[in-house]
Every structure is written in C-alpha cells, then in structure tokens.
Amino acid sequence: MAKDLPLKIEAHDFSFYYGAKQALHSITLGIPERRVTAFIGPSGCGKSTFLRSINRMNDLIDGTKTDGHMVVDGVDVYSKDIDVVTLRRRIGMVFQKSIPFPKSIYENITYGLTLNERPSKSDLDSIVESCLRRSALWDEVKDRLHHSALGLSGGQQQRLCIARAVAINPDILLMDEPCSALDPISTGKVEELITELKDTYTIVLVTHNMQQAARVSDFTGFFLMGSLIEFDRTRSIFTSPSKKETEDYITGRFG
Amino acid sequence: MEWSIRLVASASIIVIFLILLFVMREAATLFVSASTTATESTSSSAPSGDLVPESYDPGAADAPSSSEPEVYNPDAEEPATAEPAGEPGAPGQFIYASKNPKYPEIYNPDTGLLPADIDDVESEAETPDTLARQNVLTKLAGDSWQPVGEVPKFGLAPLLIGTAKTTIIAILIGAPLGILAALYVAFFAKRRVREFVKPAIELLAGFPSVVIGFFCLVTVASFIQDLTGVQYRLNAVVGGIGLSLAVIPIVFSIAEDALSAVPKTLREASLALGSTEWQTAYRVMLPAAAPGVFAAVLLGIGRAFGETMIAIMATGNAPLSSLSPLEPARTVAATIGSEMGEVVWGSEHYGVLFFMGVILFVFSFSLNAVTELYVKKRLIKKFQGQ
C-alpha cells in the first residue's frame, strides 16, 4: 500500500447498519486521489453499500445507521453540519442500471448544471459537447441531441449517464457496476473512458468482473461478508494476495 | 370461466352504449319528430310557444271555424292552451288572462299588427318539421333559461357559462392542491405520515357529495361572504370550492399512483447529481409521471362538470349569464338533477334535459379524445424529449 499518495477518501472504523443488520464491519481504508480504486467481492458483501456511503445515498433508505468516520477531503461527511446536496455535487455517481432521465439527451447533460444557476446557452452547448466527446458519445448522438435519451442503446445510455455525472465537474466519480448490463464492446468503451477520466477524477469502481478490476484499476479492495479483507495495489492483489480468502476468490474457488 | 368474464365485460360495455343510445333517443325527439312533439306538447299541457301563433293564424280568422271564438277571446284562449284540463269558468283562466293583457293587442289579426317573429313562425307552420327544428335551435341558443315560464325559454348559454365557471374554479383550486399533495406524499412524507395521509385523502373520494354540498352551503359560503363581503352568499366561487373538494381526492389518488410508479432509481440518479428533493420531484419525477398526472387532472375535470349535488347546493343554482365568479351560477348537471324529477314526460323541456345529457357526454368524450390524440403526445414530447 503506497503511503506516499495523497488520500481523497478515508474510512475509519466505518460500520453501517440496515436496521438491526450490520452490513459493514469497521472498514478502514484510504482511497488515493486521481487513481482508479476497484472493490471486488461476492454479491451482498457490502461493497456497494460502502460506495453509496461515500455520497450518503444510503440516507434514502429508512432505518439505516452509521458508525465511525467517512472522511472526504478531510471532512467527515456524516458530521451534522454537512450539506448533503453540496456533498453530492462534488461526488458524481454512475449506477449499475443506466437511468437516463425521460428528457432529451441535451437536457440530461445540462440537468445538473441548471439546478442552481442559469448558464448561458453557449456555455451549455460547449459543456454538452465536451462531456459527450469525453464519454465518446458525441459522434453517435450529435445529430439528435434534442431527441429523447430513452431512444439510445443500453451502452450509449450508460455513457450518457457518465457524461451527465462528469458535466457537474465533480472531484470524485463513484461507479456501481457500470458495465454489468453492457455487451463487451460497450464495456470496452466505458473502460477506455474510465482510464481517460482518471487523470482528472478520483474514481471508485465496484465490479463483479475481476478482469475489469485488473484492467482498469490501480488499487483493489476485496470485501467479504461486510468486512474489508484486503486492500492493496491491484497488481499485488491479483499476483500475490496476502490473504487466503482473496486468493480463493480471485482464482474462482468460491463466490 | 373465461367466457363468463368476457360476457360480463361485453355486457357492461353494451349497457353503457345502451344508456347513451337511450339518452340520445330521448333528446332526438326535440329535433326529429317535430309534428309529434307539437301534438304531444299540446296534449301534455306544456305551455308551448308554437301553439300561440297557430291559434292566431290570420287565415283561420278569415274563414271562421269552430275554434275561432276561443282564439279571439283572450279570456278563454289562454287557459285553453296553458291548462287544457281546466274546466271553463275555473278561477285559473282569469288569472292567466289577466296576466297577459298584451297578447290580444299584439296578435290581433284585424289590425294586422303582427310582430315579425310571429310572421316567421306562421310561415314555418306550413312545414312543421323545419318549424320545430329551427325553433328548437333558436330556443337553445337563447340567453335565458326559464323552462317553466308561460313562454318557456330553453337558452343553454347561462347553464354552459355556469358549468364553465364552476369547473374552471374547481380545477384551478383542485388540480394544484391535488398534485402538490401527491408530490408530498410520494416523495417527502415520512413513511408513517404517508400511511396515514394517503388513505385519508382517498377516503374523501368516497365522501357523499351531499355532505360536501352541505358543508359549503353552511360554512364555506359564510366564510367567503365574510372574506369578500359579496352580495350573493352562494355563488360560483363557493360552488367551485365545493367541487374542488370532490376533485382533489381524485387528482391526488391518480397522480400519487403515477408518481409512485416512477422508478426509484430515477430519483437516486437525480439526487446523486446534487439536486434537492424538491428539484428532483419537480424537474424529474413530475415530468416522468406527466401522462398519469395529466390523466388525473382530466378525470378531475370530468368529475367537476359532472358533479350534481354539490353544484345544486353550493352554487346558488340560478341560471345567470354573468361571467363574474362571485355571482350565482347553475351547471348543466345541476339543471338535469333538479328539473328531471318534475318535468312532463315527452315534453319539450324533457327533450332539452336529455339533450343536455348528450352535451355532457359529448364534452367528456371529446375531452378525452383530444387528450389522447393530441395533448398527451405534445406533453410527453415537451417533458420527456422527442
């Protein structure tokens, strides 16, 4: 684990409860800035819960409770005086299922920008173009920007969601299994995109696909039963895991 | 099993269709069988307007007939048409006669001072079919509704104005309140609040409208009068508020269902972009549910103009042609409701009431059709992209 890199997100003894059920057990880890960090592990191991705890999306579920600290940029996001809306503007999120708003492609991208201010039309136009270019979607949709986003293919929709998240210019991009519903070609495009974006953003990626974690991430954490088993550089995890559970998992012996 | 379901379903559709056919048939007597309508109304004691010119036919005056003395005698003539059952010499005839002292003067064939409209009616009297048809149409186009006057007036304008007034007020109040309540319950309320509020408002949908009408008659009317110092206690605003109480639960219930049916992931996606709950509800969830919400408002409109009891009790029920919301109004539905019970079967008045039933049906039908074919598509385009 490289201690020299500046940390963007730190968890200290972070625990999470759905009602009485404890989903995360005292997670402690540091996610370095401008790197891709992947979380792997079997279904229900808590990796998505951890991801959604970073921007407090779990608040939407009734009866949840946290313990310990989740620190983003030196501030505990669960402290009382934090404004969740501002926090979420700094942390973009891409979901497992692509969920474009039932609006036009253009409006999907500008949605986050027009929430609190009214940028000029030309500003919006240029942001829309640059975001769509970054997400490698521009050439495919430039002629139908004002058509419904629901008419795009699954892969295009997911890239649109990434473009939408990038448009508000966050520091951190959380991705919750962004490729699980995509075909290999679309997956390849999204992975290229991730590699490209990591110069600008701190990316946290949850994935079931271990090849994907190996391909795109710099650091990998392995979750099992709500505990973080191992967290290290991706290369060390995949070549010389220090824990037996990790080795069993990545060699496909269970999970 | 399957055939019985099919049978019940088609039976219910057929019943609705038969009801419509019946209403249309009853209304059609106004237009189609004019001669029978005329004789019917003679025999059924309706003080029908077209009888008067027939009696005063100057041709008949030149060639005296057995009925002539009656025609020219104002004392005997008036009760004869207005109340054929009444025996001559009954006190009623003098009242009728004295009420209309002008009639003999105006229609006197000897002097030839016949008003222009009477001339028209006479010429049409030769072709009774066109007579009745034009008569009915000009009557329906009149501007006052006095169906049981000595000269009955069947002008629909006051009723249509009254319906429009109360319906618009009801929707202006009911639709925003219903939609906002639906937004609150669907996205903002805590689960415990939601579990209480939703059934409570939906219970209001099954509230007897006579109770709402009574509440408006007693409480809302006084409140509005205290507030505005308006002259008429019962007016279109009070009626509109009463109707909105009937509209809100319908709009709420359907809009809430539509909003709840929007995938939760959409809400998460919007919140993750740093929007507030309100921005999410207003800019993402409401447009996504737009067709359902629109349908809710339409059903609300349908309820508002079809509602009878609240309209009878709270609007003042006076057929005025005034556009002022603070003056009494009378709706089409309220007119049917309050007059159908007393109308003479088969009379012109009876036909007009059924004709208004057809108007109500055609209006709600075309409202739905226009929405389905045109507005909904545009709405979806506007809110959800092409």
Side-chain angles (χ1 to χ4, degrees), chain B residues 58-69:
Chain B
D62 294 339
S65 69
S66 58
S67 66
E68 206 187 339

Side-chain angles (χ1 to χ4, degrees), chain A residues 52 57 60 85 88-89 91 95 99-104 111 114-116 146-148 164 168, chain B residues 191 265-277 279-280 283-284 288 383-386:
Chain A
R52 293 161 60 92
M57 287 306 284
L60 302 178
V85 171
R88 290 191 188 134
R89 290 190 77 79
I91 305 177
F95 296 85
I99 8 177
F101 299 134
K103 297 167 179 285
S104 70
Y111 175 77
T114 52
L115 284 173
N116 296 318
H146 294 282
H147 288 227
S148 174
R164 183 174 73 187
I168 57 170
Chain B
R191 198 168 57 187
T265 49
L266 216 55
R267 175 164 169 241
E268 289 190 348
S270 171
L271 290 174
L273 284 172
S275 63
T276 61
E277 287 276 6
Q279 285 167 330
T280 302
R283 294 190 46 177
V284 176
F383 286 125
Q384 308 186 351
Q386 281 158 1

Side-chain angles (χ1 to χ4, degrees), chain A residues 13-18 21-29 40-50 222-230:
Chain A
D13 284 330
F14 187 81
S15 300
F16 189 88
Y17 305 84
Y18 291 109
K21 184 177 165 281
Q22 186 166 8
L24 293 176
H25 298 268
S26 302
I27 309 287
T28 301
L29 59 74
I40 57 171
S43 296
C45 67
K47 52 195 191 309
S48 284
T49 303
F50 182 80
F222 173 58
F223 279 77
L224 189 63
M225 311 283 280
S227 301
L228 181 67
I229 303 294
E230 195 170 351

Side-chain angles (χ1 to χ4, degrees), chain B residues 135-151:
Chain B
N135 233 357
V136 164
L137 285 180
T138 42
K139 274 183 195 167
L140 293 179
D143 59 357
S144 61
W145 176 261
Q146 290 164 3
V148 287
E150 273 163 39
V151 181

